[in-house]
Amino acid sequence: MPQHNTNLDEFQNRIGYQFNDINMLKNALTHSSYANEIKLKKVSNNERLEFLGDAVLELTSSDYIYRNNQMSEGEMSRLRASIVCEPTLAMCARSFGLQKYIMLGKGEELTGGRERDSIISDACEALIGSIYIDGGFANAKEFIEKFILNDLENKKLFYDSKTILQEVVQARGLDVEYEQISEAGPEHDKTFVVSAKCSDLFHVQASGHTKKAAQQKAAYEALLLLKKRNIDIKPKGKK
């Protein structure tokens, strides 16, 4: 059975922040299933830090968007939503290997919790909260700008992938076809493989723990492919 990586010095080097109180980091990495299993107090899991980190992330991303973009309120809200949504946060967290360090209960581990977007994104928000408590707002902001607010163009594509892809192909009088290729795993931990194709434009595959997630990832892969081919993939009405 997979085990979490206990080398927290390595993890701190990865994220570029050294904790004054290492217990704050441990708290951020403690999933409720692990806390329950070893009979820790309910408040010893990472849910309270997640609550705080969510607020710090929203303020930091809102400030960043406001200062760096000339957008309407609606456009800013949409961009912020694309940054803080569960799949995007999980993608950001995987870039520095957060999932390897999360402390999970045996049951959650066995059912694939270590790769679940919801668990990874929650732990990412908890990590932000722990950095804020341990080192103040400036350090939390620096972490967010380094790992969350980078490559925003691609993250916006990821969040809106199905909608944007549909607009791109409809502008050419075409349509996207999604097809489920396979379904595997136990009921509580399914993996779906889905293809997305459109005439001669693209034919790609992606996997996810739900059909919707697999379709979203397939649409994202299709957009990246079109982008490489210098095909305009900007959302309708955007310049």
Side-chain angles (χ1 to χ4, degrees):
M1 185 181 74
Q3 293 288 333
H4 65 274
N5 190 328
T6 58
N7 189 344
L8 297 185
D9 288 335
E10 175 187 84
F11 181 72
Q12 290 175 98
N13 288 334
R14 283 190 178 201
I15 65 173
Y17 178 75
Q18 298 293 318
F19 278 79
N20 299 300
D21 181 1
I22 198 65
N23 288 318
M24 289 302 306
L25 175 56
K26 290 178 180 177
N27 194 179
L29 298 172
T30 302
H31 187 257
S32 58
S33 62
Y34 183 83
N36 293 337
E37 190 173 278
I38 64 171
K39 296 180 170 51
L40 292 175
K41 293 179 181 178
K42 192 170 183 180
V43 294
S44 297
N45 63 41
N46 64 8
E47 291 172 358
R48 279 165 49 84
L49 283 173
E50 176 201 336
F51 167 82
L52 184 60
D54 175 66
V56 175
L57 174 60
E58 185 156 319
L59 174 59
T60 302
S61 57
S62 299
D63 178 74
Y64 183 90
I65 292 166
Y66 181 87
R67 292 177 187 276
N68 291 280
N69 297 275
Q70 293 297 317
M71 293 177 167
S72 67
E73 185 270 341
E75 289 173 319
M76 289 194 295
S77 294
R78 191 168 181 79
L79 178 55
R80 184 179 63 195
S82 72
I83 295 167
V84 303
C85 72
E86 184 179 285
T88 306
L89 273 186
M91 180 172 66
C92 294
R94 288 188 179 100
S95 73
F96 56 89
L98 176 60
Q99 75 279 9
K100 299 173 185 176
Y101 298 85
I102 301 171
M103 291 179 274
L104 295 173
K106 291 177 183 175
E108 196 65 63
E109 187 80 75
L110 286 169
T111 57
R114 191 166 299 284
E115 292 303 324
R116 198 164 292 135
D117 282 359
S118 58
I119 288 176
I120 299 171
S121 63
D122 287 351
C124 187
E125 289 181 333
L127 177 60
I128 292 168
S130 69
I131 294 173
Y132 171 75
I133 291 290
D134 186 77
F137 182 76
N139 281 302
K141 181 183 178 185
E142 184 178 341
F143 171 84
I144 292 167
E145 289 180 347
K146 181 178 180 180
F147 291 106
I148 314 296
L149 297 176
N150 60 340
D151 198 19
L152 289 190
E153 206 55 44
N154 275 339
K155 283 170 184 171
K156 193 168 191 299
L157 281 184
F158 182 74
Y159 177 73
D160 279 337
S161 56
K162 288 185 70 176
T163 302
I164 296 171
L165 185 62
Q166 192 68 19
E167 289 179 357
V168 170
V169 300
Q170 281 183 345
R172 289 164 173 75
L174 301 169
D175 207 352
V176 184
E177 294 178 38
Y178 294 98
E179 181 184 353
Q180 183 178 316
I181 304 299
S182 65
E183 176 183 336
E187 197 61 40
H188 54 261
D189 189 30
K190 294 276 189 186
T191 296
F192 297 89
V193 176
V194 167
S195 72
K197 61 182 177 179
C198 177
S199 186
D200 295 329
L201 276 179
F202 57 81
H203 189 180
V204 297
Q205 290 187 9
S207 63
H209 286 295
T210 65
K211 292 178 189 177
K212 183 179 178 181
Q215 287 179 353
Q216 179 183 344
K217 290 177 182 177
Y220 180 61
E221 291 300 324
L223 286 169
L224 292 182
L225 184 62
L226 294 176
K227 193 175 181 182
K228 285 179 184 176
R229 294 176 180 169
N230 295 317
I231 294 175
D232 186 11
I233 57 171
K234 289 179 182 176
K236 189 177 179 182
K238 300 289 186 293
K239 295 186 178 181

